[in-house]
Amino acid sequence: MKLILLGPPGAGKGTQAQRLQEACGFIQLSTGDMLRAAVKAGTEIGRQAELIMARGDMVPDDVVVGIIAERIAQPDAAKGYILDGFPRNVAQAEALDRMLAGRGDKLDAVVELEVDDKILLGRIETRAAETVGGPRADDNAEALAKRLAVYHDQTAPLSVYYKARGVHKGVDGMKDIDDVTRQIEAVLGLNKK
Ligand code: ADP
């Protein structure tokens, strides 16, 4: 199964993607995690991305599209994957469509975790306090405000994009973690044993 998890920063995409990975064996592909690893390793991409990410801005499309194209071509992605943090705008979604079509493949579903902005700041503060090794460079009020603005401006339109393609499924991301997992499994038809 090829899935996208869509939702604002702090919506719980990473948590739910990890749970799906454990339950179903689809691998979680998080562009945020990959970029943070590149920053940590000091690669060329990492050097390019570091300041952009710390501000809460978007890394250039060609960089993330390149990272994803390379990753989904790996053998372990054949069983299925969950894209978390990608695509983040319509240009990236179109690039993904072309990439999949080129591989004779298609998306099974796009699950959107719907969460009000009001509760996101609290969640990010909790994550900043709990992250092992200290908070992420972009888990602060200023960068979050920027990430939310970018989300509404560039990423939220993907909801319409995927509704038009008949693959969009919304879940209430404000429920507790287990409840959200159950909703996701239900919309994907995974809990029909
Ligand atoms: P969150 O979901 O909490 O916003 P992510 O880990 O997904 O955090 O992303 C952190 C940062 O990494 C983004 O603010 C952006 O700078 C960069 N990034 C991640 N994915 C993409 C992408 N698909 N396109 C552009 N930038 C990205």
Side-chain angles (χ1 to χ4, degrees):
M1 191 176 280
K2 274 109 202 175
L3 295 179
I4 293 174
L5 279 185
L6 208 59
K13 300 185 295 292
T15 304
Q16 297 297 335
Q18 266 167 28
R19 288 181 159 213
L20 279 171
Q21 169 166 299
E22 278 158 33
C24 311
F26 319 137
I27 52 175
Q28 175 196 7
L29 303 182
S30 157
T31 39
D33 287 351
M34 293 178 201
L35 290 167
R36 279 184 289 278
V39 170
K40 208 168 161 207
T43 65
E44 180 53 37
I45 285 179
R47 280 195 293 276
Q48 251 182 285
E50 185 167 14
L51 287 176
I52 300 175
M53 291 173 74
R55 284 200 303 265
D57 277 322
M58 293 226 293
V59 171
D61 291 344
D62 57 341
V63 173
V64 287
V65 168
I67 292 179
I68 287 293
E70 211 171 277
R71 190 63 189 84
I72 65 173
Q74 303 290 313
D76 64 343
K79 270 186 289 186
Y81 47 79
I82 307 149
L83 296 171
D84 156 14
F86 180 90
R88 240 180 171 84
N89 59 28
V90 171
Q92 292 180 14
E94 289 170 349
L96 176 65
D97 284 344
R98 286 193 296 272
M99 226 185 277
L100 290 169
R103 305 175 55 79
D105 221 336
K106 62 172 184 50
L107 280 173
D108 294 283
V110 177
V111 178
E112 179 167 2
L113 304 182
E114 295 159 346
V115 181
D116 290 344
D117 280 7
K118 288 192 294 286
I119 75 167
L120 296 172
L121 181 59
R123 286 192 182 181
I124 298 275
E125 282 170 345
T126 307
R127 177 166 78 190
E130 287 174 352
T131 303
V132 180
R136 279 167 38 176
D138 60 351
D139 272 352
N140 58 70
E142 204 183 324
L144 175 68
K146 181 69 200 232
R147 281 151 67 205
L148 271 177
V150 171
Y151 179 80
H152 287 299
D153 185 43
Q154 312 229 6
T155 313
L158 291 182
S159 163
V160 173
Y161 181 92
Y162 288 117
K163 277 175 187 161
R165 284 157 182 76
V167 285
H168 179 276
K169 298 172 193 298
V171 307
D172 179 355
M174 289 171 284
K175 295 283 191 318
D176 66 40
I177 293 176
D178 287 338
D179 191 311
V180 176
T181 305
R182 279 192 293 274
Q183 291 181 66
I184 294 174
E185 289 173 349
V187 296
L188 296 177
L190 295 172
N191 46 7
K192 289 185 211 109
K193 289 271 152 65

